[in-house]
Amino acid sequence: MSQRKRSKGLGGSQFSTQMTDGEDDSIPTQVKRQSQDQVNQKVSELVQFLLVKDQKKIPIKRADILKNIIREYKNAYSEIVKRADRILQEVFGLQLVEMDTKRHIYILINNLPHAEGQHPYRAKEKEKNGLLLVILSFIFMKGNSVKDIFFPGALWEFLHLLRVYPGKEHSVFGDVKKLVTEEFVRQKYLEITPTPLTDPPEFKFQWGPRAEKETSKKDVLNFVAKMQGKDPTFWASQFSEAEASQANT
């Protein structure tokens, strides 16, 4: 089967959301940390902006990105776009391509293999499974289990960083609460267990058996490391656990 020649992407660097509570040693001052946090937020906003445009297959103008997302952070435009493109490629299987270099118009193209059977998920499900991978990564990096209440809670606060709100209909994921707590659970990707004698009720979020079969802790850690631009050994505990899990398979 012939393959379409892929356009050169925009590259990228690190994941815009934080999977752990650690500080980045490359940002030495509080002012710089605050500035980087604001850039991280812009990256998340741009990812969601591009995904919404892609749903309607609308070409994206650089002027619209600057006006609606970048705004006063024009000096960080290249960094924001590159990092958003990296997330789109790694999480959603999409690639941001400039199709008109004179007018600076972009489109998102499917970056997954075209031959049937070369990717474990159907193309139409790539957005949902991108979100699932992010949730599985969050759970693993937090020690394989996240104690939470449904609203608000650590998991939902993390999803807020991606502009995904469980109480609102999402243009890409639809009913996020139903997707996470019903569909992913029914598909055995997640397990949600109530914690006895808690008021308000608490729940424990863990990987489900299907997630254990279809991915590995090592793959998830490599994903997180790539997104954050670090070596997997940066997280010593998770690295040891991932290596041990791999050895036992």
Side-chain angles (χ1 to χ4, degrees):
M1 182 176 179
S2 61
Q3 296 289 328
R4 179 179 61 184
K5 183 178 180 181
R6 292 182 181 174
S7 302
K8 185 177 180 181
L10 300 179
S13 57
Q14 68 187 85
F15 196 39
S16 67
T17 56
Q18 296 297 320
M19 295 290 186
T20 67
D21 296 325
E23 293 290 344
D24 188 341
D25 292 338
S26 65
I27 307 172
T29 68
Q30 183 65 26
V31 173
K32 288 185 178 180
R33 280 196 295 270
Q34 290 175 345
S35 177
Q36 191 62 40
D37 287 343
Q38 291 165 339
V39 170
N40 289 344
Q41 182 63 33
K42 290 296 179 182
V43 173
S44 297
E45 291 176 5
L46 180 56
V47 168
Q48 292 305 309
F49 178 79
L50 295 172
L51 287 173
V52 169
K53 292 290 186 182
D54 182 60
Q55 287 294 300
K56 300 178 181 179
K57 301 302 178 187
I58 300 174
I60 305 141
K61 299 178 181 178
R62 185 171 69 175
D64 290 338
I65 295 176
L66 288 168
K67 177 182 178 181
N68 295 292
I69 304 298
I70 305 297
R71 297 175 184 171
E72 68 272 22
Y73 292 90
K74 292 182 180 179
N75 60 331
Y77 175 84
S78 295
E79 177 190 356
I80 293 169
V81 171
K82 287 179 181 179
R83 289 173 54 187
D85 182 50
R86 173 60 64 87
I87 294 172
L88 289 166
Q89 290 189 49
E90 299 294 339
V91 177
F92 300 101
L94 298 170
Q95 185 174 16
L96 185 62
V97 175
E98 189 173 21
M99 69 174 189
D100 187 331
T101 56
K102 292 184 178 180
R103 294 188 296 167
H104 301 294
I105 296 177
Y106 302 87
I107 58 172
L108 288 177
I109 64 172
N110 187 349
N111 202 32
L112 299 176
H114 296 283
E116 186 175 351
Q118 287 186 324
H119 194 274
Y121 307 122
R122 298 185 299 275
K124 68 179 181 180
E125 294 293 313
K126 63 183 180 293
E127 293 91 352
K128 289 183 180 179
N129 287 287
L131 179 65
L132 174 62
L133 179 57
V134 170
I135 293 173
L136 292 175
S137 300
F138 179 76
I139 292 172
F140 173 62
M141 299 304 289
K142 291 295 185 182
N144 297 306
S145 177
V146 176
K147 290 184 178 180
D148 213 337
I149 57 177
F150 277 143
F151 307 105
L155 177 60
W156 304 111
E157 289 176 357
F158 170 71
L159 293 179
H160 280 191
L161 296 175
L162 293 175
R163 314 287 287 184
V164 177
Y165 304 105
K168 296 174 61 177
E169 187 77 9
H170 192 276
S171 59
V172 176
F173 305 118
D175 187 332
V176 177
K177 178 185 176 184
K178 185 176 181 179
L179 175 63
V180 173
T181 64
E182 295 182 25
E183 186 171 335
F184 287 165
V185 172
R186 184 175 65 252
Q187 294 171 342
K188 305 300 182 182
Y189 285 114
L190 293 177
E191 287 184 346
I192 303 177
T193 307
T195 303
L197 304 176
T198 54
D199 186 17
E202 291 183 356
F203 299 83
K204 182 167 62 176
F205 288 72
Q206 296 175 294
W207 285 23
R210 189 180 183 118
E212 298 278 1
K213 294 291 185 181
E214 291 189 0
T215 191
S216 69
K217 294 175 179 178
K218 186 173 183 179
D219 289 339
V220 166
L221 180 59
N222 287 337
F223 165 76
V224 173
K226 190 172 185 179
M227 291 302 94
Q228 296 203 22
K230 299 181 185 295
D231 190 272
T233 57
F234 178 81
W235 298 275
S237 176
Q238 287 88 346
F239 180 78
S240 296
E241 182 178 348
E243 288 292 301
S245 177
Q246 190 78 5
N248 292 331
T249 57

